[in-house]
Amino acid sequence: MRAAVMAAVLPVLLWPAVVGAQDTTTVRTESFPRPPYSGATYYIYERAGRTICTKLSVCNKFNECELTYRQGAYRDDEDAATGTPYGTTPAVPISSASLAKHVCLTRFGLAGR
């Protein structure tokens, strides 16, 4: 009897956590070398397991950077040819109060969702 009650009650209690996790926006990075003496870093924004926006920062040896924003998943041909990134960071959740500070999300109207 107790197991049946828990089987019925537990999903109801966990549902808000599951729904909240699907609405959470995360960001992670992937880094690629760019000769000579420069590199490309992708900031990959994801929600519900899908890439919703990609920011590409290509910096030279003087730390001068060019930024590119793309909606959805994106990888430049040069980096795709390189293969796997040489550096990555795990996905980190972005608080709802901070979403509007991310240009990639605001540019494509994704910060308020």
Side-chain angles (χ1 to χ4, degrees):
M1 174 76 172
R2 185 177 291 179
V5 170
M6 288 304 289
V9 172
L10 194 58
V12 173
L13 294 175
L14 292 178
W15 181 251
V18 171
V19 170
Q22 292 175 349
D23 291 338
T24 301
T25 302
T26 62
V27 63
R28 62 184 177 86
T29 64
E30 294 180 351
S31 300
F32 292 86
R34 292 274 183 106
Y37 308 110
S38 61
T41 302
Y42 290 85
Y43 297 84
I44 303 164
Y45 294 85
E46 297 172 321
R47 186 179 294 144
R50 288 187 10 199
T51 301
I52 58 172
C53 186
T54 305
K55 171 185 169 183
L56 170 60
S57 176
V58 178
C59 301
N60 64 18
K61 66 180 179 180
F62 303 110
N63 209 25
E64 297 166 337
C65 303
E66 292 182 23
L67 301 175
T68 305
Y69 301 94
R70 300 284 176 107
Q71 191 168 4
Y74 172 74
R75 181 152 311 155
D76 190 77
D77 292 338
E78 184 174 351
D79 301 319
T82 299
T84 58
Y86 71 84
T88 61
T89 61
V92 176
I94 302 170
S95 70
S96 57
S98 298
L99 289 174
K101 296 177 183 177
H102 293 265
V103 174
C104 197
L105 298 175
T106 57
R107 179 169 286 189
F108 301 110
L110 302 168
R113 294 183 187 173

